[in-house]
Amino acid sequence: MIGGKLEKKNNLEKIAKLIRYFILTSTTRAGSGHPSSSLSAVELMTALFFDDFFKFRVNEPDYVNNDRLIFSKGHASPLLYSLWAAAGAVTEDEILTLRKFGSKFEGHPTPFFPYSEAATGSLGQGLSVGVGVSINAKYIDKLPYYTYVLVGDSEMAEGSQWEAIQIASYYKLDNLVGILDVNRLGQRGQTMYGWDTVAYEKRISSFGWETIRIDGHDFKEISAAYKYALKVKGKPTMIIAKTIKGKGVSLIEDKDGWHGRPLPQDKLEKTLNELGSIDRDVKGIIAEPAQCEGNREKIKNYTGIDIGRDSMSTRKAYGIGLVNIFKKFSDIVVLDAEVSNSTYSEIFKEKFPDRFFEMYIAEQNMIGTAIGLSTRGKIPFVSTFAAFLTRAADQIRMSGYSNTNIKFIGSHSGVSIGEDGPSQMGLEDIALFRAQLNSVVLYPADAVSTEKLLERAAEHYGNVYIRTTRMDTPVIYNSTEDFKIGGSKVLKESRNDVATICAGGITLHEALKAYEELKKENILIRVIDIYSIKPIDEKVIIKAQEETGLIITVEDHYQGGGLGEAVKSASSEKSPVHILAVRKIPRSGKPYELLDFEEISSKAIINKVKEIKFKK
Amino acid sequence: MIGGKLEKKNNLEKIAKLIRYFILTSTTRAGSGHPSSSLSAVELMTALFFDDFFKFRVNEPDYVNNDRLIFSKGHASPLLYSLWAAAGAVTEDEILTLRKFGSKFEGHPTPFFPYSEAATGSLGQGLSVGVGVSINAKYIDKLPYYTYVLVGDSEMAEGSQWEAIQIASYYKLDNLVGILDVNRLGQRGQTMYGWDTVAYEKRISSFGWETIRIDGHDFKEISAAYKYALKVKGKPTMIIAKTIKGKGVSLIEDKDGWHGRPLPQDKLEKTLNELGSIDRDVKGIIAEPAQCEGNREKIKNYTGIDIGRDSMSTRKAYGIGLVNIFKKFSDIVVLDAEVSNSTYSEIFKEKFPDRFFEMYIAEQNMIGTAIGLSTRGKIPFVSTFAAFLTRAADQIRMSGYSNTNIKFIGSHSGVSIGEDGPSQMGLEDIALFRAQLNSVVLYPADAVSTEKLLERAAEHYGNVYIRTTRMDTPVIYNSTEDFKIGGSKVLKESRNDVATICAGGITLHEALKAYEELKKENILIRVIDIYSIKPIDEKVIIKAQEETGLIITVEDHYQGGGLGEAVKSASSEKSPVHILAVRKIPRSGKPYELLDFEEISSKAIINKVKEIKFKK
C-alpha cells in the first residue's frame, strides 16, 4: 500500500461490533474494568482507525511519521486494546488477559502495552501529552503526523485540560485533534454539563480551537468531522461528540451506577446476543503514513560559555550549562513556566530560541508536554521555582509510569531565597522527587559541579531532578573534577574528625564556614558534599560513621523526606545521625537572617557539634 | 455609622495617590518587591475599599459578616498593605518594615498580616479560596457578605483558575466578584493575550460568569462595574480591567523588565514628585457591614452508625465515622472529587447533603476551596484517591502557610488496590504529607481505629492526613481502646522477640499473619501498629530497638519519605532498621499477588526476619 490511502474500505459496523465484543468479554473475564466508558467511544475510535484517518505502521510502532493516539480517558483501556486487536496487532487471547498480573493489558494503559504512547489513568493529563507530541511534530522534527487525544467529559473539570487547551491554541497546533466523548455520566452521577455539547463548544472555541459537534455514534458524522479536522489550519480541533455511556448494551446504556463495573458473567451471554452476529475474523486495516523522515534543524557549531571561577549562582550555571551540553545532546528541548529570567533558562532561549518553548504559568501542562516530548525521543529540560514544581506533582508521578527521560530543574530552593517569603521557597521538593520510584535527585553546590551534573543528567536515561540556588555561591571545585550520579565529595577530612557534616547546596557552604571556625578552636570536622541525594553514596556515609562517630546533616528544606532522611536511611547503626533542617514557618527576611533563624547556618552547625560532642 | 453606607464620600484620587506613595516608598525601602504589579491595580482596589462597596469592620477583622478580599496575585502585597494603611488600620511606619525579618508585612501575604484571608503568592490559587469563602457565605453560614478576588492576567494560564471558574458558576456563587487586572505584562514579556480583554471576556463568560470590561484606571467605570456586580444574581461576576503595569510612574509604565523590581533610591524622589502633592493625612473610611449573624442550619439530633466487628475497609469506616463525629463537630464540611462512592464520603452525603459539596474532578480547586472554608472557621474533610491528592500538592503546601484546619483523606492507598494499576495507586502520599511542616499523618489499620482517629483529627487544630485502604480488613481493636496523635499500638510483644515489625494499614495485617506463621516455628516477633506516622512514637521504637535488636518496617508505599524513613529518622543507633517498601514498578494484578511481588506481604516479612536473624 502506498502511504496514505486504504485500497479497500473497512466494514466499520462489523469492526465496531467486534470491538464491543472484545470490550465486554475482556472486562467480564477480568472481573473489573470500565466497559461502559469504553463502549461510548467505540464508533469514534473505529472511524479514526479504520476509515482512513489514523496513519500507522502496525508492525513498526516507533516509526517516526506514525500518527499518535493518546487515551486521556485512560480507564477506557479496554477500548484501546480492542482497537488494536481488531487491527490484528494483538490477539483475542492476549486481550483476555486484561488486568491479570504480568499482562501488558493493564487496568489503565502503560508502556508495557506497545501501542500506548504514555501511561494515563490520572484524568486530565492526556491533552498535555498530546501538546508535547504535536509541538515535536510541528516545530522540532517537522513531520506531518497528527496527534489524536480521546478525552472524557468528566475530566474536562480538570484545570490541566484548560492549560493544554490554551497552550495548544497559542502554539497553533493544527496537527492536534481532540475527541471529546460527552457521555454525560461521571463516576457517580451526571457531570456538570450533562449532554450540553453547546456548553463545551462555547468554552473550547473561546480558547481558539476549531470545534465540531456530532452524534458520536453516527459513522457518517464522525468521518465527516475527521475529514474536516484534517483540513483545519492554524488551530487545533476538538470534535465534541454526544455519546451514550454503555452504548450497545441495553442493560446499561445511559444508566448511572455502571461506571467501572463489568457485566457479570450471567448477563454476558444475553448481552453478546444483543450485539447480533459477530464476525470474529474481520480485520481492520490501518492506513500507513507517508514515508517521511522529517526536517529537523541541524544545530550549527557554536562556542560554549565559560563558567569561570567567580562566584555564581547554581541557577545561572544551569542556564550556561544547558547551552554548553546542547552540543552533545541535540535532542534537548527546554521548557519554562514564565520564570526563565529567574531560572536562567533564558540563557539557552537567547541562543537557541527554536528549541525553547515558553509554557506560561501552567506547570501541570509543562510537565505533560515534557512527557509528550520524551515519548518522541526528546530530552526535555523543564524549569521553574522548586516550590512550583509541586503544582505538577501528579504529572511528575505519572511521568515515572511512562518511563520518561525528563530533567526537572527547581530553582529558588530553601529559605535562603530571602524576602519573597514562604510561598516562593522550595522546601519539600527533595521529598517530592525522592518519593518517585526511579528518580535521580541531584543538588550541586557550585557552578562547576552544576555544569558537570547537568551533563551526567543528560547522559542518564530517566527522570532527574536538579535543585538550584538563588544566591551567588563561590566556586569550590576545579573544572577537572569528576561528578557522578550516586557520588559525593569529601571536602574536608582528617584522622581526628569529631563529627561529619553531610550537606548540599547552600548549606554545604555553611558547613565549610563552620569547618574554618571550628578549626580555629582545634576542632576538626569532616565535610561531605551530598550532591547526589538519590542514589546516595552509602559507602562514604558509613565510613564517616565508623571514623568520626557522629553525622550531622544540614539542609535548606523541611525534614520530611529530605537530605537528612536520605542520609539516615542509608546509614548504619554505627553512629548517631542528627538532622538539621527547616523546622519553623519561614518568613520574609534576608537570606542569612533566615538561615540563622532556621538553625541551618554555619553558626547552628558549630553549636550542634559542640552541643553533641562537648556538651557546651 | 449604620451598616452599609458611608455618610461622607472618600476622595478617591487623593487616596490613590497616597497608596501609590506607600507602594513606592515601602518597596524601595525594602530593596525588593513588586511595585509595578501593585500599581496597576490601585484604582481598582481604591474604589472597592473606599467607594462604599467593600464592607468591613476595621477593628474587628473576624466579624462574621465582613466582606472578604483575597489577593490571588499575591505579589501585589504592597498594594494590599497600602490599602489598609490608607484606611488607618496600619501605620506608615509599619508598612515601611515591608519584607524585613519579623515584619508582618511579608513579601507575599501571610496570616501574620491580620487582614490577609490566606497566604497567597503561588499564582492561580486565590479564586479557589474565594470559592470556599463564597460557598460558606451562601450555603452554610447564610450570610450576605461578598468575596472579592484580585486576579492577575498571567495567572489565568493556571488551570486551577479555570477549575474555580467552572465550580463557581456551577454553584451559582453570585456573592463572588473577581477583578482581573489585565496589565499585559508577565514576569518576562507579554502574556499570551496581552491587552485583549475581549479574549478574557469570551472565555470567562463562556463558563457562565457575568463579565464587564472596563478601563482599570477610570474611577467612574470602576465604580459602575462594582455597582453592577452587586446586582447580579445567580452567577459570579468578573470585572475585566485593562490596566497599565506601573501606572503612575512614567519611568516604568507599561515597560517590560520591571516585574519584581523596586524603584532604586536615586529614582524615587523624582517619581514621588511625579505623583504630585500627597496628602499624608487623608484617611479612607471603609463602610461597615450590616449587623447580621447569619442563619446556619442547626444539625438535628440523629443516630450514628455502628461500625460493628465485621471486616470492613478503612475507607468505608471513614464514611461512617464522618457521620458519627459530625454530631460533636458541627463545623465539618465535606468535599469530594467525584469519587464519593469510592472514598465513601457518600455515606455522609446521603445523611447530610447540605454539608457535602461535590467538587468534581478538580482536586486543586477542591483544596483551595477547603482553604477558604477553613478561614471561615469550618473544618473541611476533603477526600479523593491518595494518588490524586498529588494533583493538589501546591495547594496543600500553601494551605500550611495559611494555618488551615483541613483533614485530607486519601483512599486507595498502595499496590493493594489491585487491578486498576499504578495510575490509581497512592504510593507517595505519605511522603507528600510528611514533607509539610506542621502536618499530622495517620494511617489506621482497621475500622475501629479509623473512627477513633477521625475524632482525634477533628479535635486537633491543623492539617491532618488520613490514609485509607480499599480492601476489607478485619477489625482488630476493641471499641474501648484509645488512639492518639503521636501514639502507637504494640499488638504482639514478648521477652523473646527477635525482631520488631513496624507497619501500618494493610501491611499491619500482613505483619500479624507473619507473627502467627513464625510463632508456629517458635520464632517470636514484636508487632507495632504505627498508626501515627507523624508525629511518631519515638519511645516505642527505641524501646523495641533495645529489647529486640532489629526493626523491620513494612509499607504499601515507596520508600522515599515514607513510613520506614519516618521510623528510621526517629530511631537510635541501638539497632539496625530495615525498610520493606514498594521497589518495583507496580502492575495490574490481584492485591495479594502484588503484595507478594513487591515483597511487602506476610511471606516477605517472614523471609526478611529469617534472612537477617538466621541467615536462612
Side-chain angles (χ1 to χ4, degrees):
Chain A
M1 166 192 326
I2 303 166
K5 197 155 174 57
L6 289 174
E7 284 162 6
K8 179 175 175 221
K9 264 181 101 61
N10 288 304
N11 185 323
L12 302 182
E13 279 80 10
K14 267 196 176 181
I15 294 172
K17 253 195 229 184
L18 181 62
I19 286 172
R20 287 200 155 88
Y21 167 79
F22 286 148
I23 288 168
L24 290 161
T25 52
S26 63
T27 50
T28 295
R29 169 80 64 100
S32 64
H34 301 75
S36 60
S37 310
S38 302
L39 291 166
S40 58
V42 168
E43 282 80 12
L44 293 167
M45 292 293 101
T46 299
L48 173 64
F49 263 43
F50 302 117
D51 206 15
D52 214 355
F53 298 109
F54 195 65
K55 311 278 191 257
F56 199 96
R57 285 188 188 170
V58 176
N59 296 322
E60 215 185 319
D62 287 327
Y63 178 58
V64 288
N65 199 30
N66 282 341
D67 283 344
R68 298 289 157 193
L69 170 64
I70 294 150
F71 263 45
S72 187
K73 55 179 286 186
H75 52 291
S77 56
L79 169 59
L80 178 68
Y81 305 145
S82 302
L83 277 164
W84 288 103
V90 296
T91 68
E92 182 175 350
D93 279 348
E94 285 184 288
I95 63 170
L96 288 175
T97 66
L98 175 70
R99 293 171 157 251
K100 285 195 181 356
F101 180 65
S103 167
K104 57 189 181 187
F105 301 86
E106 299 192 65
H108 295 75
T110 68
F112 284 103
F113 180 65
Y115 301 96
S116 268
E117 295 304 326
T120 50
S122 184
L123 294 171
Q125 300 196 21
L127 258 185
S128 296
V129 177
V131 164
V133 177
S134 301
I135 281 179
N136 178 69
K138 191 173 171 86
Y139 294 110
I140 306 176
D141 284 356
K142 311 250 173 54
L143 283 163
Y145 65 84
Y146 273 76
T147 301
Y148 298 89
V149 185
L150 178 64
V151 179
D153 49 356
S154 285
E155 61 170 334
M156 292 306 287
E158 282 288 12
S160 47
Q161 299 285 56
W162 299 96
E163 293 181 14
I165 284 171
Q166 286 181 76
I167 290 281
S169 174
Y170 180 79
Y171 280 109
K172 301 184 177 6
L173 299 177
D174 45 17
N175 56 348
L176 177 64
V177 178
I179 304 101
L180 178 52
D181 176 0
V182 184
N183 65 25
R184 186 180 80 79
L185 293 170
Q187 167 157 332
R188 30 89 266 128
Q190 188 162 262
T191 63
M192 272 191 277
Y193 304 125
W195 266 327
D196 187 358
T197 51
V198 170
Y200 289 106
E201 179 167 61
K202 263 177 35 178
R203 288 153 176 74
I204 295 165
S205 64
S206 80
F207 280 87
W209 282 50
E210 189 71 27
T211 55
I212 314 155
R213 287 181 308 112
I214 59 168
D215 173 345
H217 299 296
D218 181 321
F219 276 123
K220 279 206 175 67
E221 287 193 33
I222 296 170
S223 292
Y226 283 125
K227 195 169 173 193
Y228 180 75
L230 292 173
K231 294 199 179 105
V232 170
K233 296 268 164 270
K235 48 168 99 167
T237 302
M238 185 73 78
I239 298 169
I240 302 169
K242 181 179 174 185
T243 60
I244 293 169
K245 196 158 180 170
K247 172 75 172 175
V249 179
S250 59
L251 180 68
I252 69 174
E253 272 190 6
D254 195 42
K255 290 206 176 64
D256 192 18
W258 278 96
H259 179 90
R261 282 179 64 189
L263 269 291
Q265 187 61 45
D266 61 352
K267 299 268 193 297
L268 183 64
E269 195 184 329
K270 182 166 178 231
T271 297
L272 293 178
N273 288 342
E274 201 185 13
L275 291 180
S277 70
I278 294 158
D279 183 351
R280 308 252 297 264
D281 294 321
V282 75
K283 199 129 293 189
I285 311 295
I286 298 179
E288 293 218 344
Q291 179 76 31
C292 186
E293 300 317 318
N295 191 15
R296 215 163 109 184
E297 197 185 312
K298 295 222 176 319
I299 317 293
K300 296 187 185 64
N301 209 2
Y302 65 93
T303 324
I305 306 169
D306 185 26
I307 286 271
R309 307 291 307 164
D310 291 338
S311 275
M312 179 188 286
S313 63
T314 56
R315 59 171 171 140
K316 187 168 186 189
Y318 165 64
I320 292 174
L322 249 190
V323 166
N324 293 342
I325 64 170
F326 188 46
K327 199 175 291 203
K328 195 168 156 194
F329 299 95
S330 60
D331 287 331
I332 285 174
V333 181
V334 178
L335 310 180
D336 194 282
E338 207 181 295
V339 284
S340 59
N341 56 336
S342 297
T343 60
Y344 280 100
S345 63
E346 72 177 355
I347 299 177
F348 180 93
K349 175 174 97 169
E350 270 144 37
K351 260 191 110 67
F352 305 106
D354 293 341
R355 213 37 102 73
F356 175 92
F357 294 88
E358 180 56 70
M359 291 279 112
Y360 295 95
I361 306 183
E363 296 80 12
Q364 294 187 93
N365 180 69
M366 178 167 76
I367 274 59
T369 298
I371 294 173
L373 287 164
S374 179
T375 68
R376 299 287 88 233
K378 303 304 177 288
I379 312 177
F381 278 70
V382 310
S383 52
T384 182
F385 283 33
F388 306 144
L389 283 171
T390 63
R391 197 60 157 266
D394 195 14
Q395 282 78 2
I396 289 164
R397 178 181 79 90
M398 288 301 293
S399 77
Y401 298 131
S402 286
N403 195 27
T404 51
N405 187 24
I406 301 169
K407 320 304 167 183
F408 303 85
I409 291 79
S411 70
H412 293 68
S413 54
V415 302
S416 50
I417 70 162
E419 289 87 341
D420 265 359
S423 64
Q424 317 290 301
M425 296 170 172
L427 292 159
E428 51 284 284
D429 51 303
I430 296 175
L432 168 64
F433 282 96
R434 282 192 67 239
Q436 310 305 314
L437 190 60
N438 291 323
S439 56
V440 167
V441 180
L442 305 173
Y443 189 13
D446 83 339
V448 166
S449 53
T450 300
E451 188 177 18
K452 304 248 174 190
L453 286 172
L454 216 50
E455 191 165 354
R456 292 294 88 73
E459 288 163 352
H460 169 86
Y461 189 94
N463 284 357
V464 178
Y465 174 56
I466 299 176
R467 182 181 219 234
T468 67
T469 302
R470 176 178 180 250
M471 65 162 80
D472 290 345
T473 43
V475 164
I476 58 175
Y477 293 113
N478 287 321
S479 53
T480 50
E481 301 215 40
D482 241 333
F483 292 82
K484 54 191 212 290
I485 290 171
S488 66
K489 287 282 184 188
V490 180
L491 290 171
K492 300 291 180 195
E493 188 178 31
S494 81
R495 290 171 180 271
N496 300 315
D497 299 328
V498 303
T500 299
I501 314 301
C502 290
I506 192 78
T507 52
L508 181 73
H509 296 276
E510 292 304 299
L512 291 171
K513 286 181 208 165
Y515 170 87
E516 296 299 337
E517 284 305 307
L518 286 166
K519 193 169 172 200
K520 291 178 190 164
E521 299 180 54
N522 287 324
I523 299 168
L524 293 174
I525 55 171
R526 186 163 303 186
V527 177
I528 305 180
D529 180 1
I530 304 288
Y531 64 77
S532 179
I533 299 178
K534 180 177 187 253
I536 203 164
D537 190 345
E538 280 194 30
K539 284 204 178 78
V540 83
I541 291 166
I542 292 171
K543 181 167 183 273
Q545 286 185 285
E546 288 167 355
E547 295 179 3
T548 74
L550 168 67
I551 300 223
I552 298 172
T553 71
V554 201
E555 64 199 284
D556 196 353
H557 184 271
Y558 291 136
Q559 170 168 337
L563 182 149
E565 292 197 350
V567 169
K568 191 150 189 186
S569 292
S571 70
S572 68
E573 58 284 8
K574 293 181 200 298
S575 89
V577 176
H578 194 96
I579 297 173
L580 296 179
V582 175
R583 297 194 195 289
K584 293 175 265 194
I585 289 280
R587 311 292 306 277
S588 283
K590 295 199 197 10
Y592 286 101
E593 281 177 320
L594 297 171
L595 287 171
D596 273 333
F597 171 65
E598 295 292 354
E599 295 177 87
I600 52 170
S601 61
S602 56
K603 204 184 304 179
I605 295 168
I606 292 164
N607 285 345
K608 187 56 68 179
V609 169
K610 289 180 171 178
E611 177 196 314
I612 297 177
K613 280 302 204 179
F614 308 115
K615 310 217 181 308
K616 83 169 158 84
Chain B
M1 170 191 323
I2 303 165
K5 196 153 172 57
L6 289 173
E7 283 162 7
K8 177 174 178 227
K9 267 180 97 60
N10 288 304
N11 185 324
L12 302 181
E13 279 82 8
K14 267 194 176 182
I15 294 172
K17 253 195 231 185
L18 181 62
I19 287 172
R20 287 198 155 88
Y21 168 79
F22 286 147
I23 288 169
L24 290 162
T25 52
S26 62
T27 50
T28 296
R29 168 79 65 98
S32 64
H34 301 74
S36 60
S37 310
S38 303
L39 290 166
S40 58
V42 168
E43 282 79 15
L44 292 167
M45 293 293 101
T46 299
L48 174 64
F49 262 44
F50 304 115
D51 206 14
D52 213 355
F53 297 109
F54 195 64
K55 311 279 191 255
F56 199 94
R57 286 190 187 169
V58 176
N59 296 322
E60 216 184 318
D62 288 327
Y63 177 59
V64 289
N65 199 30
N66 281 342
D67 284 343
R68 299 287 157 193
L69 170 65
I70 293 150
F71 263 45
S72 187
K73 54 178 286 184
H75 52 289
S77 56
L79 169 59
L80 178 68
Y81 305 145
S82 302
L83 277 164
W84 288 103
V90 296
T91 68
E92 182 176 351
D93 279 347
E94 285 185 288
I95 63 168
L96 287 175
T97 66
L98 175 71
R99 294 171 156 250
K100 287 199 184 346
F101 180 66
S103 168
K104 58 189 181 189
F105 301 86
E106 299 192 64
H108 295 75
T110 68
F112 285 105
F113 180 65
Y115 300 96
S116 266
E117 295 304 326
T120 50
S122 184
L123 294 172
Q125 300 194 21
L127 259 184
S128 295
V129 177
V131 164
V133 177
S134 300
I135 281 179
N136 179 68
K138 192 174 172 84
Y139 294 109
I140 307 175
D141 284 356
K142 312 253 174 49
L143 283 162
Y145 64 84
Y146 274 77
T147 301
Y148 297 90
V149 185
L150 177 65
V151 180
D153 50 356
S154 285
E155 60 170 334
M156 292 307 286
E158 282 289 9
S160 46
Q161 298 285 58
W162 298 96
E163 292 181 15
I165 285 171
Q166 286 182 77
I167 291 280
S169 174
Y170 180 78
Y171 280 110
K172 303 184 177 1
L173 299 177
D174 46 16
N175 57 347
L176 177 64
V177 178
I179 304 102
L180 178 52
D181 176 0
V182 184
N183 65 25
R184 186 181 80 79
L185 293 171
Q187 169 159 329
R188 31 89 265 127
Q190 187 162 263
T191 64
M192 272 189 276
Y193 305 125
W195 266 327
D196 188 357
T197 52
V198 171
Y200 289 106
E201 180 168 61
K202 265 178 33 180
R203 289 154 176 76
I204 295 165
S205 64
S206 81
F207 281 87
W209 282 51
E210 188 71 28
T211 55
I212 314 154
R213 288 183 305 113
I214 59 168
D215 174 343
H217 300 295
D218 181 322
F219 275 123
K220 278 207 174 69
E221 285 192 33
I222 297 169
S223 292
Y226 284 125
K227 195 170 175 194
Y228 179 74
L230 292 174
K231 295 201 178 105
V232 170
K233 295 271 167 265
K235 46 166 101 168
T237 302
M238 185 73 76
I239 298 170
I240 302 169
K242 180 179 174 187
T243 61
I244 293 170
K245 197 159 181 169
K247 173 75 173 172
V249 178
S250 59
L251 179 69
I252 69 175
E253 273 190 5
D254 195 43
K255 289 204 176 66
D256 192 19
W258 278 96
H259 180 88
R261 282 179 62 188
L263 269 292
Q265 187 61 44
D266 62 352
K267 299 269 193 297
L268 184 63
E269 195 185 331
K270 181 165 178 232
T271 298
L272 294 178
N273 289 341
E274 199 184 14
L275 291 180
S277 69
I278 295 157
D279 182 352
R280 308 253 297 264
D281 294 321
V282 75
K283 196 127 293 176
I285 311 295
I286 299 179
E288 294 219 343
Q291 180 74 30
C292 187
E293 299 318 316
N295 192 15
R296 216 164 107 184
E297 197 185 314
K298 296 229 175 313
I299 318 293
K300 297 186 185 61
N301 208 2
Y302 66 92
T303 323
I305 304 169
D306 185 27
I307 287 269
R309 308 291 307 164
D310 292 337
S311 276
M312 178 189 287
S313 63
T314 56
R315 60 172 170 139
K316 188 168 186 187
Y318 165 64
I320 292 174
L322 248 190
V323 166
N324 293 341
I325 65 170
F326 188 45
K327 199 175 291 204
K328 196 168 156 193
F329 299 94
S330 60
D331 287 332
I332 285 175
V333 181
V334 178
L335 311 180
D336 195 280
E338 207 180 295
V339 285
S340 58
N341 57 336
S342 297
T343 60
Y344 281 100
S345 63
E346 72 178 355
I347 298 177
F348 180 93
K349 176 174 95 168
E350 271 144 36
K351 262 192 110 66
F352 306 106
D354 293 342
R355 212 37 101 75
F356 175 93
F357 293 88
E358 180 57 71
M359 290 282 113
Y360 295 94
I361 306 182
E363 296 81 10
Q364 295 187 93
N365 179 70
M366 179 167 74
I367 274 59
T369 298
I371 293 173
L373 287 164
S374 179
T375 67
R376 298 289 88 232
K378 303 303 178 289
I379 312 177
F381 277 70
V382 309
S383 51
T384 183
F385 284 34
F388 305 144
L389 284 172
T390 62
R391 196 60 156 265
D394 195 14
Q395 282 78 1
I396 289 165
R397 179 181 78 92
M398 288 302 293
S399 77
Y401 298 130
S402 287
N403 194 27
T404 51
N405 188 24
I406 302 169
K407 319 304 168 184
F408 303 85
I409 291 79
S411 70
H412 292 69
S413 54
V415 303
S416 50
I417 70 163
E419 289 87 341
D420 265 359
S423 64
Q424 317 291 300
M425 296 170 173
L427 292 159
E428 51 285 285
D429 50 305
I430 296 176
L432 168 64
F433 282 96
R434 282 192 68 240
Q436 311 304 315
L437 189 60
N438 290 323
S439 55
V440 167
V441 180
L442 305 173
Y443 189 13
D446 82 341
V448 166
S449 53
T450 300
E451 187 177 19
K452 304 247 173 190
L453 287 172
L454 216 49
E455 191 166 354
R456 294 292 91 73
E459 289 163 351
H460 170 85
Y461 189 94
N463 284 356
V464 178
Y465 173 56
I466 298 176
R467 183 181 218 234
T468 67
T469 302
R470 177 178 180 250
M471 66 163 78
D472 290 347
T473 44
V475 164
I476 58 175
Y477 292 113
N478 288 319
S479 53
T480 51
E481 300 214 44
D482 241 333
F483 293 82
K484 53 191 213 291
I485 289 172
S488 65
K489 287 282 185 188
V490 180
L491 290 170
K492 301 290 179 195
E493 186 177 32
S494 81
R495 291 172 180 268
N496 300 314
D497 298 328
V498 303
T500 299
I501 314 301
C502 290
I506 192 79
T507 53
L508 180 73
H509 296 277
E510 293 303 299
L512 290 171
K513 285 182 209 164
Y515 171 86
E516 296 300 335
E517 284 304 308
L518 286 167
K519 194 169 171 200
K520 291 177 189 165
E521 299 180 55
N522 289 323
I523 301 169
L524 293 174
I525 55 172
R526 186 164 303 185
V527 177
I528 305 181
D529 180 2
I530 304 288
Y531 64 78
S532 179
I533 300 178
K534 180 176 188 253
I536 202 165
D537 191 345
E538 279 194 30
K539 284 204 177 75
V540 82
I541 291 166
I542 291 171
K543 181 167 184 274
Q545 287 185 286
E546 287 167 354
E547 295 178 4
T548 74
L550 168 67
I551 299 222
I552 298 171
T553 72
V554 201
E555 65 198 284
D556 196 355
H557 185 272
Y558 291 136
Q559 170 167 337
L563 181 149
E565 292 197 349
V567 169
K568 192 151 188 184
S569 293
S571 70
S572 69
E573 59 282 6
K574 293 183 201 294
S575 88
V577 176
H578 194 95
I579 297 174
L580 296 178
V582 176
R583 296 193 195 290
K584 294 176 264 197
I585 289 279
R587 311 292 307 277
S588 284
K590 295 199 199 6
Y592 285 102
E593 281 176 322
L594 297 172
L595 289 171
D596 273 332
F597 172 65
E598 295 292 355
E599 296 176 87
I600 52 172
S601 61
S602 55
K603 206 185 303 178
I605 295 169
I606 291 164
N607 286 346
K608 187 55 69 178
V609 169
K610 289 179 173 178
E611 179 196 312
I612 298 179
K613 281 303 209 183
F614 307 113
K615 310 216 183 308
K616 84 168 160 82

